[in-house]
Amino acid sequence: MKTGIADTGIRRELSCMGTMLFLFLFGSAKGQAVEPTNIANLQLWLKADSGVYADQAGTTPAMNGTAVQRWEDQSGNDKHLTSVGTSENAILRSSVAGLCKRAAVEFTGTTNGILELVNQTLAITNDLTVFVVTQFNLITNHQTFIANRYSTFGWDFYHYSADLKMCVKATATWPKDFVMLQNGLSTNWLFATGLRIGTTNSVSVNRALTTSAVGSSGPISYHANSRLTVGGLSDNSQQYVGQMAEVVVYNRALTSGERSQVEAYLYARYYDRPDSSTPPIAHWKLDETSGPVLADSSKDGLYPMTLNGETPSAALGSADVPSGMPAGSKSVFFNANDRKGELATRAYTASLCGSTFTAAAWVKPNDSTPDSLQEFIFGPYGTTVFTGWSMRWYDGPFFSQQIGADNKWYGGVSSAKLAAGLWYHIVFQIEDNGTKDNYRLYVNGALANEALAGPNYTPSATASFVLGGRHDYTRWDGGLDDVQYYDYTLTAKDVAFLYHNPGATIPPPPTIVLIK
């Protein structure tokens, strides 16, 4: 097989973290990273750093900033795509910010920029799985990034305004769109997965299911003019404006485990983070089976917590942990009763009292509609000067709140009421912004609330950091696990990574596993 740009497949490449790898795992990923060719029924595999040419014959490798007229399939099936014209083509970008400095093919929304598979088809009759690593540069129009469709025949994976959709025509009807609302598509790279299994289409973004719906039964119906295209449709409509780094297509519905493996592979190649990211200054894994000390597992281990012995006592060493936690992990269940219960505290420590920080934790409420306010992290709270911040729960939603210099609470609330008996990943951060603060609340990797609050949160000079409630009466009734504290604000991508990789930290520690 010919190659254009020097082959930088994962067998021979350096990861973003500067570590040579064959199989790369971020901490405790949900699935082991597996190259697409190691999973059966691969139909198409496009990578912007392999097999990209400036001519349709595939003799001149494309260079940074030059036109792309041929994008070669790396699956071994020789399903190579070529441009529909000789001008206004897609463009190769060889080192893309926010993408681990990897290559991407940029589509500019022109007819000649579409790449198509001429006189060949993919062997897809009913079920399929599509993975795309992409960034939308324009979200106001109907744009298709990959399809095997003509008119209303076939299937396509596209976005319309701020919605990400996958449609399939089966038998004689064109089913409704399956919509996922995803704001801000023009600014962030995302990992999109489209799946059809039986009569159900589903869409996932960044390894999290966003929506699914039942459509028409029967095999996919194709038109005589249907052909596979990237960057628009075969009738030259719905041209794409954005960049694509990798496309992987299977002619069957992969299992959840297989999808996780491919997604982990894509994360390993493309996950990026600011160079300034540093590990948490405190990390309470809460794996203890006996107290009273709860160890700080961060690099320096400077901030252990101590249980205060109040009754009812906390239950240590629970095997009930969030799915995906490393083997042998434990959690703590705090058992609030009539606003009383054991707490874990850390005496005043300046490093845990910064005006800019990120606090993250896994929590499992015991009651979906508690009759009183419950706080699972409170810090740092001054008993004489009313100041501090809180991660709390009451009557369904999660709250994040801070006390400003005017002794008033400011904060955000998650939009959905969340259920008892389920684990949730909650992240709260405050970013000192001069006269006011930016605060953000994330639930399960997604931004739930953001605002400019004020006046500024001023940390107490004497306050303790508390897990399991507040000093006075607002105690937590439920599970708590893997609490992390960073002295800076994590990026949205970092927050999503923590959610999808329970127990991992930022920056993700590379693990090298040599597997053939």
Side-chain angles (χ1 to χ4, degrees), residues 197-210:
I197 178 169
T199 61
T200 300
N201 288 2
S202 62
V203 171
S204 299
V205 172
N206 295 341
R207 306 176 75 181
L209 178 67
T210 57

Side-chain angles (χ1 to χ4, degrees), residues 208 361-363 376 391-393 396-400 412-419 423-428 440-449 495-496 499-500:
W362 285 92
V363 296
F376 47 93
M391 296 169 70
R392 53 177 58 184
W393 161 260
F398 282 112
F399 291 73
S400 58
V413 183
S414 62
S415 59
K417 288 192 174 184
L418 306 177
W423 284 101
Y424 295 95
H425 190 248
I426 311 297
V427 173
F428 177 47
R440 301 178 189 92
L441 171 66
Y442 295 85
V443 178
N444 287 349
L447 184 65
N449 195 285
V495 172
Y499 166 61
H500 291 295

Side-chain angles (χ1 to χ4, degrees), residues 215-243:
S216 303
S217 61
I220 298 174
S221 220
Y222 293 101
H223 189 277
N225 292 331
S226 294
R227 61 176 64 93
L228 184 90
T229 53
V230 171
L233 294 180
S234 56
D235 62 2
N236 297 327
S237 66
Q238 299 179 19
Q239 294 97 338
Y240 185 52
V241 182
Q243 301 182 82

Side-chain angles (χ1 to χ4, degrees), residues 70 148 171 177 195 239 281-282 361 374 381 420 481 487 515:
R70 183 182 180 92
N148 196 341
T171 314
D177 294 339
L195 174 72
Q239 294 97 338
I281 63 171
Q374 296 184 15
Y381 173 67
D481 201 8
D487 58 359
I515 296 178

Side-chain angles (χ1 to χ4, degrees), residues 119-166:
N119 300 322
Q120 294 187 69
T121 60
L122 299 184
I124 297 174
T125 58
N126 192 75
D127 294 352
L128 73 154
T129 309
V130 183
F131 303 89
V132 181
V133 180
T134 188
Q135 180 186 41
F136 306 127
N137 292 342
L138 180 67
I139 63 171
T140 58
N141 299 328
H142 189 159
Q143 300 175 41
T144 295
F145 41 92
I146 182 169
N148 196 341
R149 177 184 156 196
Y150 183 84
S151 184
T152 59
F153 294 83
W155 59 270
D156 62 347
F157 201 10
Y158 67 99
H159 82 84
Y160 183 76
S161 293
D163 300 331
L164 186 63
K165 310 181 181 184
M166 179 172 158

Side-chain angles (χ1 to χ4, degrees), residues 60-222:
T60 305
M63 306 298 290
N64 182 48
T66 63
V68 174
Q69 293 198 27
R70 183 182 180 92
W71 199 355
E72 292 199 338
D73 175 23
Q74 306 299 306
S75 72
N77 297 320
D78 294 332
K79 304 291 187 181
H80 309 312
L81 279 69
T82 55
S83 61
V84 300
T86 57
S87 63
E88 298 180 338
N89 301 116
I91 300 169
L92 178 66
R93 304 299 183 193
S94 62
S95 181
V96 179
L99 197 66
C100 254
K101 301 299 183 182
R102 295 193 183 278
V105 175
E106 181 179 358
F107 295 86
T108 58
T110 63
T111 298
N112 288 341
I114 297 173
L115 298 169
E116 63 181 1
L117 182 61
V118 180
N119 300 322
Q120 294 187 69
T121 60
L122 299 184
I124 297 174
T125 58
N126 192 75
D127 294 352
L128 73 154
T129 309
V130 183
F131 303 89
V132 181
V133 180
T134 188
Q135 180 186 41
F136 306 127
N137 292 342
L138 180 67
I139 63 171
T140 58
N141 299 328
H142 189 159
Q143 300 175 41
T144 295
F145 41 92
I146 182 169
N148 196 341
R149 177 184 156 196
Y150 183 84
S151 184
T152 59
F153 294 83
W155 59 270
D156 62 347
F157 201 10
Y158 67 99
H159 82 84
Y160 183 76
S161 293
D163 300 331
L164 186 63
K165 310 181 181 184
M166 179 172 158
C167 283
V168 175
K169 177 175 181 179
T171 314
T173 58
W174 180 252
K176 65 178 181 179
D177 294 339
F178 305 114
V179 180
M180 185 282 301
L181 199 61
Q182 173 74 21
N183 294 322
L185 293 180
S186 64
T187 59
N188 296 316
W189 280 90
L190 59 86
F191 303 80
T193 304
L195 174 72
R196 185 180 194 237
I197 178 169
T199 61
T200 300
N201 288 2
S202 62
V203 171
S204 299
V205 172
N206 295 341
R207 306 176 75 181
L209 178 67
T210 57
T211 191
S212 64
V214 176
S216 303
S217 61
I220 298 174
S221 220
Y222 293 101

Side-chain angles (χ1 to χ4, degrees), residues 171-382:
T171 314
T173 58
W174 180 252
K176 65 178 181 179
D177 294 339
F178 305 114
V179 180
M180 185 282 301
L181 199 61
Q182 173 74 21
N183 294 322
L185 293 180
S186 64
T187 59
N188 296 316
W189 280 90
L190 59 86
F191 303 80
T193 304
L195 174 72
R196 185 180 194 237
I197 178 169
T199 61
T200 300
N201 288 2
S202 62
V203 171
S204 299
V205 172
N206 295 341
R207 306 176 75 181
L209 178 67
T210 57
T211 191
S212 64
V214 176
S216 303
S217 61
I220 298 174
S221 220
Y222 293 101
H223 189 277
N225 292 331
S226 294
R227 61 176 64 93
L228 184 90
T229 53
V230 171
L233 294 180
S234 56
D235 62 2
N236 297 327
S237 66
Q238 299 179 19
Q239 294 97 338
Y240 185 52
V241 182
Q243 301 182 82
M244 275 184 272
E246 195 149 343
V247 178
V248 184
V249 182
Y250 293 86
N251 67 348
R252 66 181 175 89
L254 300 192
T255 67
S256 60
E258 290 170 328
R259 294 196 303 274
S260 182
Q261 289 176 325
V262 176
E263 289 164 345
Y265 155 81
L266 294 173
Y267 257 57
R269 277 176 59 79
Y270 298 107
Y271 177 84
D272 204 356
R273 63 178 179 83
D275 292 338
S276 59
S277 293
T278 56
I281 63 171
H283 183 192
W284 300 286
K285 292 185 177 181
L286 305 180
D287 287 339
E288 286 79 11
T289 57
S290 62
V293 176
L294 305 180
D296 171 13
S297 299
S298 64
K299 179 181 178 181
D300 296 324
L302 299 177
Y303 310 116
M305 307 287 285
T306 303
L307 294 167
N308 68 356
E310 183 177 318
T311 57
S313 61
L316 301 178
S318 173
D320 183 352
V321 297
S323 176
M325 278 288 181
S329 295
K330 306 295 181 183
S331 67
V332 175
F333 274 76
F334 291 90
N335 298 302
N337 183 10
D338 194 23
R339 298 182 176 181
K340 295 182 179 179
E342 192 165 33
L343 299 173
T345 62
R346 170 73 194 180
Y348 170 75
T349 305
S351 297
L352 301 179
C353 295
S355 59
T356 295
F357 66 88
T358 301
W362 285 92
V363 296
K364 183 177 183 179
N366 283 339
D367 187 350
S368 58
T369 56
D371 59 7
S372 63
L373 182 67
Q374 296 184 15
E375 295 174 276
F376 47 93
I377 300 179
F378 203 98
Y381 173 67

Side-chain angles (χ1 to χ4, degrees), residues 7-69:
D7 184 357
T8 54
I10 85 172
R11 290 181 177 83
R12 297 198 295 272
E13 69 192 1
L14 290 174
S15 77
C16 293
M17 306 308 171
T19 303
M20 183 67 73
L21 57 83
F22 180 177
L23 181 97
F24 185 96
L25 304 178
F26 286 146
S28 56
K30 284 187 175 180
Q32 287 191 336
V34 172
E35 279 194 334
T37 50
N38 292 326
I39 296 178
N41 297 92
L42 177 64
Q43 291 292 296
L44 179 72
W45 184 15
L46 303 174
K47 297 194 297 180
D49 54 10
S50 298
V52 181
Y53 291 88
D55 62 319
Q56 292 188 353
T59 59
T60 305
M63 306 298 290
N64 182 48
T66 63
V68 174
Q69 293 198 27

